[in-house]
Amino acid sequence: MTLSNEALAALVRADSVHKRVYTDPEIFALEMERIYGQAWIYVGHESQVKKTGDYHTTRIGDQDVIMVRAADGKVHVVYNRCPHKGAKVVAEGDGCTGKFFRCPYHAWTFKLDGSHLSLPLKNGLEGTCYDPANPDFSMKAVARVDSYRGFVFASQSAEGPDLKTFLGGVASSIDNLCERSPVGEVEVAGGTFRVMQKSNWKVFYENLHDTMHARVTHESSFVAAREEAAALGEMPFELLIMDGNGEPYEFWEKLELRAYHNGHGYMEGIFDPTAATRDPVSRDHFAVLTEAYGEEKARQILGMNRHNTIIYGSGSPHTVFQQFRVIRPVSVDRTMIEIQTFRLKGAPDAVFDRALTYANLINSPSSNVMPDDVEVYKRCQEGNQTRGGDWVSLHRYLGTDQETPDGMVSTNGTSELPMRNQFAAWKQYMLNPAPTRQRQAQEKEADRATA
């Protein structure tokens, strides 16, 4: 039985949330319908489907979809299902299907936009409702598809804000990521890490802007980095990126946390943006940007210092080290994280090498840092299933957040503003079922009543 809006609303307070939002399978199922069934969700980058027939499989909530470059040159997103027996048309991963999709079960074929092309032994369907133009015989397209600077998003709802409106102020992080290329373009490169986390999907979003956990959860890695640096007599980049988590609380308190509408936001960067004038990699990067944009613009681009950006429902782009941690819910207590790395077109190779180093040492399954987070996420999931209490605290600096035209900004970098902002968006989605689905349900009910 679906939870009432009153029951859902009662799960979110101004200063806390009920643990059921992390542990209840019924709530998870509603999230797949009301959040992932409405919001614009990142499905991939255009560079992953460069040629006609190239495809990339992924998920929108609990739905398997295919992003494909069709014959019209456009990127389409279709559900990974053959309308005949329901088989997945392509296996998980990336590839090139050629000029059409062909189901491996009975060889039904479809154009790259999903529309029906052909099937064997058509004579067996004479006198039936079979019609190639009938959409029931085609692979179904996701309701809306759009891209922002090559980042492709899809929405399962035909209604709602357009992509640019949905992104709002957080689009500036995508802009900055692209502008770090002297030609303004990026491409996915270097492979993708995948990590299955034994926790609810919302835990990762909260942690991305949780500045209070770094020096506690990651103590083993930053202490080890400092000991190694002391032995070497220097702090190389590989150790510096681990050492950053060990800054004192006074450092974290000074950072800015920005919250935008729809649950989005960013956390100010923790590494020195003036390094462009010092370390060799940044210096060379600054030089090519200066040639492309001029010195003032180049300083502005590299000076935009953001550590983790959140696009709620999609994941976290990192502009400084050119990656996107894509967050895919699997079940109420399982979340798949995919880490994509990006090459800045036209930038020195060393910039991409540094991005790969960061991904390997900080975000890979075998890194010294990510396993710390994965462990505490699992402990949160397990602890919230005990009878030790019902509410999860979001109290830090409550009531001190400052309003801006497009959201809010923290007065202290250890504020739990980002978490409160995410649950404000969660509540808004959960109390407002997708209009299209709601109307379809009403139409079905009316049909049953008149049957």
Side-chain angles (χ1 to χ4, degrees), residues 21-317:
V21 302
Y22 306 103
T23 62
D24 190 329
E26 184 179 356
I27 290 176
F28 178 83
L30 280 177
E31 291 171 341
M32 296 304 99
E33 177 183 333
R34 297 186 179 183
I35 299 178
Y36 286 87
Q38 294 190 71
W40 286 97
I41 305 297
Y42 175 69
V43 293
H45 191 268
E46 290 181 3
S47 62
Q48 295 174 284
V49 288
K50 294 180 180 179
K51 306 186 303 296
T52 298
D54 284 355
Y55 67 84
H56 168 71
T57 65
T58 186
R59 289 168 68 85
I60 301 176
D62 57 358
Q63 301 296 303
D64 290 305
V65 299
I66 308 167
M67 179 178 74
V68 60
R69 179 80 64 175
D72 60 5
K74 297 179 180 179
V75 174
H76 295 253
V77 180
V78 297
Y79 292 96
N80 194 356
R81 177 188 183 273
C82 175
H84 180 212
K85 295 293 185 182
K88 279 188 176 182
V89 176
V90 298
E92 183 178 321
D94 295 1
C96 183
T97 190
K99 295 181 179 180
F100 54 84
F101 287 114
R102 180 180 184 271
C103 180
Y105 198 3
H106 295 94
W108 282 37
T109 58
F110 309 91
K111 297 177 184 178
L112 296 176
D113 63 2
S115 58
H116 184 80
L117 183 59
S118 186
L119 51 78
L121 299 176
K122 293 181 182 178
N123 55 296
L125 296 173
E126 291 178 357
T128 72
C129 66
Y130 170 71
D131 179 356
N134 185 336
D136 288 344
F137 293 93
S138 294
M139 295 173 68
K140 185 178 178 182
V142 176
R144 291 185 293 166
V145 179
D146 201 355
S147 66
Y148 185 79
R149 301 198 70 156
F151 292 79
V152 180
F153 293 78
S155 171
Q156 296 188 82
S157 174
E159 302 178 30
D162 60 33
L163 175 59
K164 193 169 183 180
T165 301
F166 170 78
L167 291 173
V170 83
S172 59
S173 288
I174 298 178
D175 290 333
N176 183 249
L177 175 56
C178 294
E179 288 168 359
R180 286 172 180 261
S181 156
V183 298
E185 296 180 3
V186 300
E187 60 182 352
V188 174
T192 301
F193 289 124
R194 304 184 79 195
V195 182
M196 181 66 80
Q197 300 180 353
K198 297 179 180 180
S199 54
N200 186 268
W201 63 276
K202 296 183 291 297
V203 176
F204 194 178
Y205 280 100
E206 294 175 45
N207 188 71
L208 286 166
H209 291 173
D210 184 335
T211 59
M212 289 294 293
H213 87 284
R215 61 179 289 107
V216 180
T217 302
H218 301 300
E219 182 178 9
S220 61
S221 58
F222 77 72
V223 168
R226 290 175 180 180
E227 290 175 348
E228 180 67 14
L232 292 173
E234 61 176 338
M235 180 70 77
F237 175 76
E238 292 81 358
L239 300 178
L240 175 68
I241 54 179
M242 287 188 279
D243 174 69
N245 283 318
E247 296 286 357
Y249 287 125
E250 292 81 3
F251 170 86
W252 302 101
E253 287 186 299
K254 294 176 183 177
L255 295 182
E256 179 181 273
L257 300 171
R258 179 76 62 166
Y260 294 115
H261 301 310
N262 300 318
H264 312 319
Y266 70 78
M267 167 187 157
E268 187 180 358
I270 65 175
F271 299 107
D272 183 4
T274 65
T277 61
R278 295 199 310 276
D279 86 83
V281 175
S282 296
R283 208 160 44 231
D284 291 345
H285 189 191
F286 176 67
V288 298
L289 292 183
T290 297
E291 184 176 353
Y293 301 118
E295 183 174 339
E296 182 179 352
K297 178 68 172 178
R299 290 189 183 280
Q300 178 185 348
I301 291 170
L302 295 182
M304 183 178 283
N305 190 25
R306 298 182 181 180
H307 188 60
N308 291 325
T309 290
I310 287 176
I311 302 176
Y312 192 63
S314 292
S316 178

